[in-house]
Amino acid sequence: MTDAPDGAPVIIAAGNSRLAQTAVSLSGPAQENGWRLIILRAPSCVFTPGIDSYLGAECDAHNDAALEYIDQVGPEAVAVSTTMVLHEGPERVDRVTEETVPALLGDGVDVIALRDAPRIAENPVVCLEAGGTAEDCTQPLDRGTMPEGRPDAAVLEDLAARTEEDGGGEVLPVDLLPITCPRGACPPIIGNIHVMFDEDHLTATYMESAGPEVERQLEDAGFRW
């Protein structure tokens, strides 16, 4: 959570550990603009309130409590992963877009639609510690898993069109794949900062450095702090 004065506008990010790491990219812009960022996370628990998760009752209860907290706080914006990258198969649209995102938009809450983080075949830290160079430890992005275009684009466009017609919050897509795996290659280090700390998670330090890019994408989507 970022420091902010009482009564400051609020962004709540909700999801699993991968979402929590990506959401760190919002911390710098939020702090600089006087907003409070709150991150609600549970390991491996994808934020899909009202939809039974594969993890069972504990994850479902966490999601219900997270949604209740969001309703109580009444944030100006909520950040969620609207795509999902599993260990097998192509990236797909996250089910949070089915009920939760439309409901938030209908309540006048802006939704920051974060694209899920990539997964890579091998731990880049292990590769570097074994003596590999940054070039040796760069891994290709599997375009069969994560294509250049995000798979939820049409869904987000439809949601944006509906809210424009009926009124409500804004849909704000953010895609950090171009700066985590530029030109289809996933280097272990960019700008002297480790990008991922294992096969599945971005580092908080690299996500902090991504703040200016997140701010640019949000402003391009029409968001105003």
Side-chain angles (χ1 to χ4, degrees), residues 11-97:
I11 299 173
I12 296 179
N16 59 12
S17 57
R18 285 163 52 81
L19 175 281
Q21 294 299 111
T22 303
V24 171
S25 63
L26 294 162
S27 62
Q31 186 110 25
E32 290 167 10
N33 290 282
W35 285 51
R36 177 173 286 109
L37 172 66
I38 300 169
I39 299 177
L40 309 176
R41 64 176 289 274
S44 301
C45 183
V46 176
F47 184 60
T48 52
I51 299 174
D52 291 344
S53 75
Y54 73 93
L55 288 180
E58 185 174 353
C59 176
D60 296 340
H62 168 82
N63 283 336
D64 291 343
L67 184 60
E68 182 177 351
Y69 179 78
I70 290 169
D71 290 340
Q72 290 174 350
V73 172
E76 280 69 22
V78 169
V80 295
S81 287
T82 52
T83 74
M84 180 187 295
V85 179
L86 302 174
H87 289 285
E88 295 182 357
E91 180 183 18
R92 66 191 192 192
V93 181
D94 194 289
R95 295 190 67 187
V96 73
T97 60

Side-chain angles (χ1 to χ4, degrees), residues 52 55 73 78 95 109-110 115 123 152 157 166 175 179 202:
D52 291 344
L55 288 180
V73 172
V78 169
R95 295 190 67 187
V109 179
D110 291 340
R115 188 177 189 179
N123 188 324
D152 61 346
E157 289 173 7
D166 301 334
D175 181 359
I179 67 167
L202 298 161

Side-chain angles (χ1 to χ4, degrees), residues 98-141:
E98 295 176 8
E99 296 182 6
T100 303
V101 169
L104 290 168
L105 294 170
D107 288 339
V109 179
D110 291 340
V111 173
I112 300 172
L114 298 170
R115 188 177 189 179
D116 201 4
R119 297 184 191 269
I120 52 179
E122 299 179 5
N123 188 324
V125 177
V126 171
C127 179
L128 291 169
E129 289 179 345
T133 65
E135 184 177 359
D136 293 335
C137 299
T138 295
Q139 301 178 51
L141 178 67

